[in-house]
Amino acid sequence: MKRDSRDGPIPPTATYRLQLQPGFPFSAAERAVPPLAALGVSHLHLSPVLEAVPGSSHGYDVTDHTAVRAELGGEEGLRALARTAHAHGLGLVLDIVPNHMAVPAPEHLNGPLWEVLRDGPASPYARWFDIDWAEHGGKVLLPVLAGRLGEELGAFAVRDGTLRYHDHVLPLRPGTERLPLPELLDAQWYRPAWWRLARTELNRRRFFTVSELIAVRVEDPEVFATTHAEVLRLLREGVLDGLRVDHPDGLADPAGYLARLHEATGGRWTVVEKILARDEPLPRAWPVAGTTGYDALHHIDGLFTDPAGAAGLTAAYRAFASPPADRGGDWPETVRRAARRMVSHELAAETERLVRVAGRICDASWRLRDHAPWALRTALCEILVRLPVYRPYARPGEPAAPADVALLDEAARGARAAFAVPEEAAAVEVVRDAALGRLGGGPEHRDFCARFAQTAAAVRAKSVEDTAFYRYAPLLSATEVGGAPDRPAVSPDEFHAFCARIQRDWPATGTVLSTHDTKRSADVRARIAVLTEYPREWELLLERLSARVPAPEPHVAWTAWQTAFGLGEPDALRLVPAVLKGAREAALRTTWTERNAEYEREVERFVLAGPCGPAHGELTAFAAGARASVRANVLGATLLHLTMPGVPDLYMGTERVRRMLVDPDNRRPPVFDADEDGPVGLSAEKLHVTRTALRLRRAHPEWFTGPGADYRPLAAAGPAADHCVAFARSGEVVTAVTRLARGPAEGGGWGETVLALPGGGRWRELLTGRVCPERVLLGWLLRKYPVALLVRA
């Protein structure tokens, strides 16, 4: 890969994400290369390609780091894709998964784990995994049984030197093969257990709350070398050109890992899936190009959200659903309650592990003794639920960053209120200082510091993204990864300030609008955001619809009708699973592990009768009245994404209008139509905008990501100036989009509102081909489309 003089390797001009799976293997991706090259991207962005659980639709459940996945076509299939891509001028960026592997069935698919289960802590692979051998009598808990062990003994069998339980095939400790079954089970290095014990008894680190994924210790140099050898070889041999790192916050030492990866790859373009809070910066010391772009998603979405209308929707939601403050009525309280549930329920095993380590740290120090386990547990939980970001990055033996110190000091101040006796509240300072690496540099201190940060990331992700987002529902477009649902709107000044920061600090960072992990695709969110321009009308519509088709309870009515409006069609096969998933994630009336079958049947009946029934016609009529705003939001978000600072990543199929709900709906393979003129209406317009902007980026990368590229806001002047956002890139490109389009549409249009373009000649608008002067009336410029892309004529 070529290098520029300022930022190392020359970044892609744009990437295109392909979600590979058995139904969309390398050969299908290869057939998509010509139309994607014609679209204007520079690189294909591939989901993980190493061996995974058979049939996996995502590839994040890696089973073997040494081989390319056979179900996708194997290494030869990947190389054939690379050859075709390179022949069309495209490179390949690969998503890698350093944090975890699968615990598959049969277990021998994961070779390193198989050896650990067979040989225990003496196995050379024991260093791969975070296993607490002090628990469960030195055995790895395997929560795979449908019931308690005594109830399931009859389902076990010993065959071919292995222990069988339904789909599970487990190794036997050498010398135990002929023992009677109960004694044989007791003699193993693992303990098969009821699956419900995972929540409280698991003694290995996992990915969030997914017990089928076991975390990997890539901080160990040998583990790093073995798990990355195949990917690094493919980079050296020119098959791959860049990397996306999945969930670095799950690692013990993200900075150390990224430094090792940077050195091993020779500084290839690499972005990390770091979820930033609204005002949280990416650590400057990380040797990466930037994030995968959820911060950009939030700022783009927020620009098309009316702040007054969002407040109106919030008031309407509270009146309609009457949620308690901590169950959807108030965002901070809702997050706090969800976090408490995580530390005491779903992540109880991780919490207790930290309490045990904290206790051993205290017991080993005369100064710290006599802190009761309950006090350490209370302090730990109260601090964890108060962290407003994913995690701190402290390391024992090094001064903690001021941001991490401030973060934990603030959390500690609030945590002390949980104690009635001030002297017992001193446990808070112990936990805080241990998390900041201040108490020492021994093994226990390093373990607590790393595990605290890893657990904090899991608590944040599960309590916010996978719980509170489904409980706090005034505006579903704002409940997105990296979002701030209580502050969904972003002003033009805030947007420009964000873009200027990105251009200055992370000019080659990734930007996204839709991913395999977004709760709703960009086009669904663009439709839902329109409701902030029509809050009163939506409130009245919901009252009519609810009277016509009663729901099991008002919260599910609000979320189902908003989801249906975003989807835009009464597709029961997609809408019913999405609403049910939302109800389970919210965990208010039903959950994934504690199903309320009758409630779920009521939800399904309601969705079929209401949002998927005749009443859907009222949503269609409502959308027709807001068509101008929907069109402006879809095309405006598209053009901003493709021309703002950073490297845009397009999710498969989103060059056209693609309305997708939460996974697995959003992982359906796209259909690549060989006829580029196939789409009509808004979908055709979106394709035109996308193709035009991408081809411009590819023809002139120096205007967007080159060392001399810059970003300058442009201000419109006149009666509708607040409804235009515009900026110039390197003095050669101007983007102008319409925001909150109801205002101009119902207020007499743009009137005398003008946009002054950078001086130095006339400009050509690429979407229409028209030439315009330096000072142009927006009513003329935006006559055909609500967006404009201009270059010097």
Side-chain angles (χ1 to χ4, degrees), residues 17-21 24 47 57-58 60 516 651-652 667:
R17 169 80 176 205
L18 293 174
Q19 197 69 22
L20 301 168
Q21 51 189 286
F24 191 83
S47 60
S57 63
H58 49 80
Y60 290 96
H516 61 288
Y651 190 59
M652 55 186 190
R667 296 177 183 179

Side-chain angles (χ1 to χ4, degrees), residues 265-532:
T265 66
R268 299 296 184 100
W269 183 79
T270 298
V271 291
V272 291
E273 189 205 22
K274 167 61 185 170
I275 311 302
L276 296 167
R278 181 160 180 163
D279 300 316
E280 180 188 8
L282 184 67
R284 285 295 301 164
W286 286 10
V288 296
T291 74
T292 53
Y294 287 110
D295 46 345
L297 179 156
H298 167 64
H299 282 83
I300 295 172
D301 278 7
L303 195 61
F304 297 95
T305 301
D306 186 290
L313 282 178
T314 301
Y317 169 71
R318 288 171 176 159
F320 180 86
S322 301
D326 60 355
R327 297 191 182 198
D330 176 79
W331 174 246
E333 289 296 320
T334 298
V335 172
R336 189 76 52 82
R337 183 184 179 97
R340 289 188 191 284
R341 180 175 182 272
M342 286 300 142
V343 297
S344 64
H345 195 69
E346 303 295 341
L347 293 167
E350 286 76 5
T351 302
E352 290 305 309
R353 170 79 160 78
L354 284 168
V355 172
R356 292 194 297 271
V357 178
R360 292 197 293 268
I361 290 173
C362 290
D363 289 345
S365 167
W366 288 101
R367 184 173 61 85
L368 298 177
R369 283 185 190 172
D370 293 342
H371 286 286
W374 76 263
L376 293 170
R377 182 182 299 107
T378 300
L380 173 69
C381 294
E382 292 296 324
I383 288 177
L384 283 172
V385 302
R386 285 174 166 78
L387 293 182
V389 299
Y390 261 55
R391 59 170 282 173
Y393 297 100
R395 293 191 284 192
E398 300 179 12
D404 288 341
V405 173
L407 181 78
L408 281 157
D409 280 348
E410 179 64 25
R413 276 192 290 273
R416 291 185 68 90
F419 291 84
V421 179
E423 291 80 4
E424 290 176 331
V428 170
E429 277 65 47
V430 173
V431 171
R432 179 201 62 190
D433 290 346
L436 289 171
R438 291 171 170 172
L439 297 184
E444 300 280 24
H445 302 90
R446 293 195 301 272
D447 182 60
F448 184 92
C449 191
R451 284 295 192 101
F452 176 89
Q454 291 168 315
T455 302
V459 170
R460 184 71 182 172
K462 293 300 297 180
S463 62
V464 175
E465 295 172 25
D466 292 342
T467 306
F469 275 179
Y470 294 95
R471 293 181 175 182
Y472 185 84
L475 180 65
L476 295 185
S477 60
T479 54
E480 192 50 81
V481 183
D486 59 333
R487 293 190 298 158
V490 173
S491 71
D493 287 344
E494 289 175 308
F495 177 80
H496 289 312
F498 170 77
C499 289
R501 257 191 337 269
I502 291 297
Q503 182 61 43
R504 181 190 68 225
D505 298 335
W506 303 98
T509 190
T511 62
V512 292
L513 280 179
S514 299
T515 77
H516 61 288
D517 276 337
T518 44
K519 309 296 184 188
R520 300 158 191 88
S521 68
D523 294 328
V524 172
R525 300 195 312 275
R527 286 174 62 90
I528 294 174
V530 165
L531 300 181
T532 65

Side-chain angles (χ1 to χ4, degrees), residues 149-180:
L149 179 62
E151 302 165 355
E152 297 295 316
L153 275 178
F156 284 95
V158 176
R159 190 164 62 247
D160 300 327
T162 62
L163 179 66
R164 308 293 180 102
Y165 174 79
H166 298 301
D167 294 338
H168 297 275
V169 180
L170 298 163
L172 293 176
R173 186 173 179 176
T176 67
E177 297 88 346
R178 298 185 182 278
L179 292 174

Side-chain angles (χ1 to χ4, degrees), residues 195 329 541:
W195 67 271
L541 176 61

